[in-house]
Amino acid sequence: MEDSAVVNALNLNRKLPPSNIPKNILALSEIVENEDEQDEMIQRIDQPLERIQDSSNGADFLKCEYNRDGDCWRSPYTNEYFPQPHEEDMSEAFYPSGLLRDMEEQANDMIKEYSNLYFTNPLSNAYFFETTEEGFGACYLILNELSSEKGVKDGQWHSLHSFTVEENVTGKHTYTLVSTVFLKLELAGGLYGELKINGTSTKRTEQTHPKSSKGSEHLVRMGKMLEKNEKFLRDELDSVYVGKSKQIINTGRMHDLYGTNKTILS
Amino acid sequence: MSDSKTKALQYFIQEATVGELEYIIDDIGTIVGNKDFLQQPEIIQALREYQERHLNHQTLPDGTKVVVTEKGRRETEVMKEPEPEAEGEGEQLPAETDPSEFTYVDEARNIKFTLNVNSGEVKVINDAEKHHDEAVQGFKEQLAESLDKYIAGHYKELTTLGTVSVEGTDQITAHIEISCHNLNHKNFWGGEWLSRWTVTHTLGSSDFEVTGKINIHNHYFEQGNIQFELNKSFDSPTAGTVSGDAAESIIATINKLEENYQVSLEEMYEEISDNHMKNLRRKLPFTGKNFEWGVSKLM
């Protein structure tokens, strides 16, 4: 399985421009011809977030695989799908209810409060879904787009945090979180010319806690994990964009601040 | 093969960052089951463009390193006859040429060679490919020598090559290209610094003008895929004055342009960290501490 077309396509995708993931997927779909493999590949490549409007309350929400049914997406505000589908098409559609929907509503409020503290102009959502009898899944999304700042052509932050919560053999709850961040920053002109930085970075963490039946307890544990992963990825992206780029440039061309070959040799 | 599939393969090759073409071709080969696609005319052109876009380094059979440039590419027919064209009909090509083979001149080293963009084979056609004008040839050699000295002094050993080509005889235009490929794939990174400078100068005069551009592209791929690109044009000419040797003065001006540019990047790094990264996501909320999930007013 590890040498399947899907795995190789994912490897290839990591060498293609992170600035244009939809185009990468289209191109990869040309060579991964088996439909099942294509579907698997598309599901396994994280895509930048897009927004859609909940037309009953006018608010935007974010799309992802976890709130999608065909060409419709479920709004976390009203628990309805948009664009509004035909009734008969949605007999199989998923609508969380009970504790799951309660947690989802609370998670949306919490992630909104959280993202307002960390981001300048965020849109954030959370979606909860069923997995196993004892467990559940959740996906938290944050999109932050810089509005026309001086010198900035485009600036975007996308976080995708995908959780699975399961009861393990010892009766405890295990939380697995895969966090992916997309970052895009394009600066126009200036002394140093046109700058484009684009990247995606992923971090996986796992925690085990005593079994809990309280939704609020799950939400706190998940929130803390999310915040920790996001901090890690933010620091990593910062250090790669700045530190690593600087290292690559300054170890190739050695500028006078650090001493040229001549001064090193003499 | 369908057009859209060919276009997809061209896209993969075109977007390959420095030094990663081989990996990309291997990935494609594993997915499609073979490497027949490499013989397609559109793919051969994409491979050639990759060589030229990155100012790739090639090694001749005797160990000499040369640079592949778009400016240095020659028509394959032209090299067969010093006087090309004319007759047409009756002409017979001696042998079928391999469509993957392209002809280049590295003028800084006076070498004409062929490069097979598929097999990677490099063959020398002429190792004394000189400019017909002696004064120009002399000037070009001095420029190449000063450039080599500059590269040896300012770029990491074994990463960088430069080349020079000259147009005109009295009033000349010199193209100086520098290609630094700083690769460390074992540690998941690679980067290139490419500079392309154009110098106008009248031989024997005391002034010259320099325009050009620098392209930097870094790729970091541990736990992700992060690319960093800088494109800087130096469109308004920098005027220089010859003091002593013209070639040395020109290279000194280029050194200064590159040096100033690299120093200006220090400010850019700070600006990214201090302003832009902060606007994309703060390190901490303005409260100065982590979000208090447990005591949220909503709980």
Side-chain angles (χ1 to χ4, degrees):
Chain A
M1 193 62 195
E2 270 322 274
D3 205 37
S4 68
V6 176
V7 171
N8 285 299
L10 296 175
N11 281 339
L12 180 51
N13 183 51
R14 273 191 285 276
K15 301 177 189 95
L16 299 176
S19 55
N20 211 341
I21 289 167
K23 187 170 181 183
N24 298 347
I25 290 177
L26 272 181
L28 289 167
S29 303
E30 288 290 335
I31 59 169
V32 177
E33 284 169 301
N34 176 295
E35 263 182 51
D36 290 342
E37 288 180 334
Q38 235 181 53
D39 285 348
E40 191 192 339
M41 173 190 82
I42 293 170
Q43 285 206 351
R44 287 176 66 177
I45 297 177
D46 284 315
Q47 299 196 48
L49 297 169
E50 285 178 32
R51 52 172 84 218
I52 183 171
Q53 199 185 46
D54 177 331
S55 48
S56 15
N57 75 349
D60 280 358
F61 63 95
L62 294 166
K63 298 178 181 179
C64 73
E65 277 302 310
Y66 300 104
N67 65 333
R68 185 172 79 98
D69 191 292
D71 294 326
C72 303
W73 286 267
R74 188 173 58 83
S75 159
Y77 314 126
T78 55
N79 208 9
E80 290 301 320
Y81 282 84
F82 296 93
Q84 268 161 336
H86 296 293
E87 277 312 315
E88 64 269 29
D89 294 344
M90 303 311 279
S91 55
E92 306 267 292
F94 174 69
Y95 295 92
S97 59
L99 180 62
L100 205 57
R101 176 63 182 153
D102 287 348
M103 280 200 289
E104 182 178 271
E105 283 184 296
Q106 278 193 22
N108 271 280
D109 290 338
M110 286 164 95
I111 194 71
K112 188 174 179 186
E113 203 184 334
Y114 165 88
S115 53
N116 281 335
L117 287 176
Y118 276 102
F119 298 92
T120 46
N121 181 32
L123 172 60
S124 55
N125 291 121
Y127 302 102
F128 281 59
F129 49 93
E130 288 164 342
T131 51
T132 54
E133 190 99 355
E134 291 297 324
F136 64 93
C139 182
Y140 289 72
L141 311 169
I142 304 169
L143 172 63
N144 187 38
E145 290 168 296
L146 297 188
S147 47
S148 57
E149 251 172 85
K150 214 181 127 220
V152 178
K153 232 161 103 184
D154 198 356
Q156 299 177 23
W157 170 287
H158 304 237
S159 306
L160 292 78
H161 300 279
S162 151
F163 285 96
T164 51
V165 182
E166 257 154 33
E167 196 182 316
N168 67 17
V169 283
T170 62
K172 292 184 171 179
H173 269 131
T174 298
Y175 300 75
T176 308
L177 168 61
V178 179
S179 303
T180 298
V181 168
F182 290 93
L183 196 143
K184 182 188 198 88
L185 178 63
E186 295 190 3
L187 306 180
L191 193 58
Y192 35 74
E194 192 183 77
L195 169 75
K196 284 188 212 166
I197 52 188
N198 280 287
T200 149
S201 195
T202 295
K203 166 107 178 136
R204 185 181 187 280
T205 42
E206 204 179 283
Q207 280 185 13
T208 300
H209 292 280
K211 186 175 171 173
S212 173
S213 54
K214 274 167 57 191
S216 59
E217 203 158 9
H218 287 305
L219 293 177
V220 170
R221 290 170 179 173
M222 289 159 71
K224 285 182 177 166
M225 283 176 78
L226 174 158
E227 186 171 17
K228 211 170 154 191
N229 261 13
E230 209 170 77
K231 178 181 166 37
F232 175 90
L233 289 169
R234 189 240 183 249
D235 289 349
E236 181 176 82
L237 286 164
D238 190 19
S239 78
V240 171
Y241 281 143
V242 176
K244 206 71 192 178
S245 294
K246 195 166 158 174
Q247 183 203 344
I248 297 172
I249 294 169
N250 290 349
T251 60
R253 187 181 187 280
M254 281 155 287
H255 73 105
D256 294 344
L257 281 181
Y258 299 119
T260 59
N261 282 355
K262 255 181 238 152
T263 58
I264 291 164
L265 291 172
S266 62
Chain B
M1 189 177 283
S2 72
D3 271 7
S4 52
K5 193 167 174 180
T6 304
K7 282 219 174 74
L9 299 179
Q10 281 174 296
Y11 172 69
F12 299 143
I13 294 168
Q14 180 193 324
E15 296 296 337
T17 51
V18 63
E20 294 184 30
L21 181 64
E22 239 178 274
Y23 308 136
I24 286 191
I25 287 175
D26 285 348
D27 286 339
I28 300 171
T30 325
I31 296 167
V32 303
N34 60 63
K35 290 187 180 173
D36 296 348
F37 64 91
L38 290 171
Q39 303 309 326
Q40 271 183 262
E42 299 89 343
I43 301 304
I44 290 172
Q45 292 307 319
L47 296 173
R48 172 187 60 70
E49 282 166 17
Y50 176 85
Q51 292 282 338
E52 295 169 6
R53 183 178 321 112
H54 296 281
L55 300 173
N56 259 11
H57 308 173
Q58 294 294 343
T59 308
L60 304 180
D62 72 351
T64 307
K65 303 254 189 202
V66 289
V67 189
V68 182
T69 63
E70 191 186 350
K71 284 211 161 41
R73 177 155 39 91
R74 300 290 183 265
E75 289 295 326
T76 304
E77 291 86 5
V78 173
M79 59 167 236
K80 294 205 164 68
E81 277 291 328
E83 305 265 305
E85 304 294 313
E87 277 94 277
E89 310 268 272
E91 250 181 337
Q92 197 112 50
L93 292 175
E96 192 142 320
T97 48
D98 185 333
S100 298
E101 200 167 273
F102 294 91
T103 305
Y104 292 95
V105 175
D106 184 332
E107 283 193 41
R109 295 163 185 86
N110 306 315
I111 291 170
K112 188 182 229 182
F113 60 95
T114 59
L115 166 67
N116 186 312
V117 295
N118 256 313
S119 68
E121 193 187 2
V122 184
K123 286 186 287 199
V124 177
I125 298 177
N126 182 1
D127 62 0
E129 182 80 11
K130 294 190 175 171
H131 197 282
H132 56 88
D133 185 289
E134 231 172 273
V136 173
Q137 175 63 25
F139 175 70
K140 197 181 74 183
E141 281 173 9
Q142 284 171 341
L143 212 47
E145 200 186 309
S146 299
L147 177 63
D148 278 350
K149 224 188 282 171
Y150 164 60
I151 288 173
H154 285 82
Y155 286 88
K156 182 158 98 186
E157 222 186 332
L158 304 174
T159 63
T160 308
L161 287 179
T163 190
V164 173
S165 63
V166 177
E167 291 161 16
T169 44
D170 180 37
Q171 218 180 329
I172 56 117
T173 302
H175 302 282
I176 296 168
E177 296 178 278
I178 299 171
S179 148
C180 169
H181 292 182
N182 190 11
L183 308 180
N184 191 338
H185 289 161
K186 223 171 53 191
N187 288 310
F188 308 102
W189 59 261
E192 69 188 341
W193 168 303
L194 306 176
S195 8
R196 295 175 165 96
W197 300 105
T198 301
V199 182
T200 51
H201 173 56
T202 304
L203 291 184
S205 77
S206 63
D207 42 34
F208 57 86
E209 278 188 347
V210 182
T211 56
K213 57 184 175 188
I214 294 178
N215 305 108
I216 294 172
H217 195 155
N218 299 331
H219 186 203
Y220 180 73
F221 47 95
E222 188 173 17
Q223 303 290 322
N225 177 6
I226 299 172
Q227 301 200 7
F228 173 103
E229 251 184 287
L230 268 171
N231 297 301
K232 167 71 176 175
S233 292
F234 299 80
D235 291 330
S236 49
T238 301
T241 313
V242 173
S243 73
D245 183 63
E248 265 178 39
S249 306
I250 289 168
I251 298 297
T253 300
I254 288 174
N255 177 13
K256 208 166 151 194
L257 285 166
E258 294 194 344
E259 185 65 29
N260 288 346
Y261 179 64
Q262 199 172 358
V263 170
S264 79
L265 296 185
E266 297 294 322
E267 259 171 61
M268 181 198 69
Y269 302 130
E270 266 176 49
E271 202 183 304
I272 295 175
S273 268
D274 297 349
N275 301 332
H276 303 303
M277 278 304 295
K278 203 177 89 196
N279 290 335
L280 286 164
R281 186 190 181 275
R282 290 182 194 95
K283 270 186 186 234
L284 274 176
F286 16 59
T287 54
K289 45 187 191 198
N290 285 350
F291 185 64
E292 295 188 44
W293 297 90
V295 298
S296 165
K297 60 177 184 284
L298 299 155
M299 297 302 295

